[in-house]
Amino acid sequence: MLVHVLSVIPEYFDGPFRSGPVRRALTSGSLLIEFVNPRDFASDRHRTVDDYPFGGGAGMVMKPEPLHKAVETV
């Protein structure tokens, strides 16, 4: 089984995916996990993938362009 994980911090998943039943599935070859970083698809030199909400307010939102390109790659 092939699983794609889309994350701006792919190294975050190293620990959880390297223990327990997931580790056994990875070592047996029945599971393959591929990480896709949306920052690899950003068009600016800072590899920006987040932006401020258009309506104002607190928080950040993902830019649609790099996210769309990353999903299309998968």
Side-chain angles (χ1 to χ4, degrees):
M1 177 189 314
L2 174 61
V3 176
H4 291 91
V5 177
L6 190 68
S7 173
V8 294
I9 310 171
E11 59 273 4
Y12 174 79
F13 296 96
D14 284 342
F17 288 166
R18 302 294 180 227
S19 62
V22 176
R23 179 187 57 81
R24 288 193 295 276
L26 286 168
T27 56
S28 73
S30 61
L31 176 65
L32 177 63
I33 300 175
E34 291 186 3
F35 295 95
V36 178
N37 190 339
R39 290 188 190 279
D40 295 338
F41 301 93
S43 58
D44 64 335
R45 68 182 184 133
H46 298 291
R47 299 174 44 183
T48 307
V49 294
D50 52 358
D51 203 355
Y52 295 101
F54 291 107
M60 301 294 281
V61 295
M62 294 289 289
K63 286 185 171 185
E65 295 85 6
L67 189 60
H68 176 73
K69 289 177 184 176
V71 170
E72 286 293 314
T73 300
V74 171

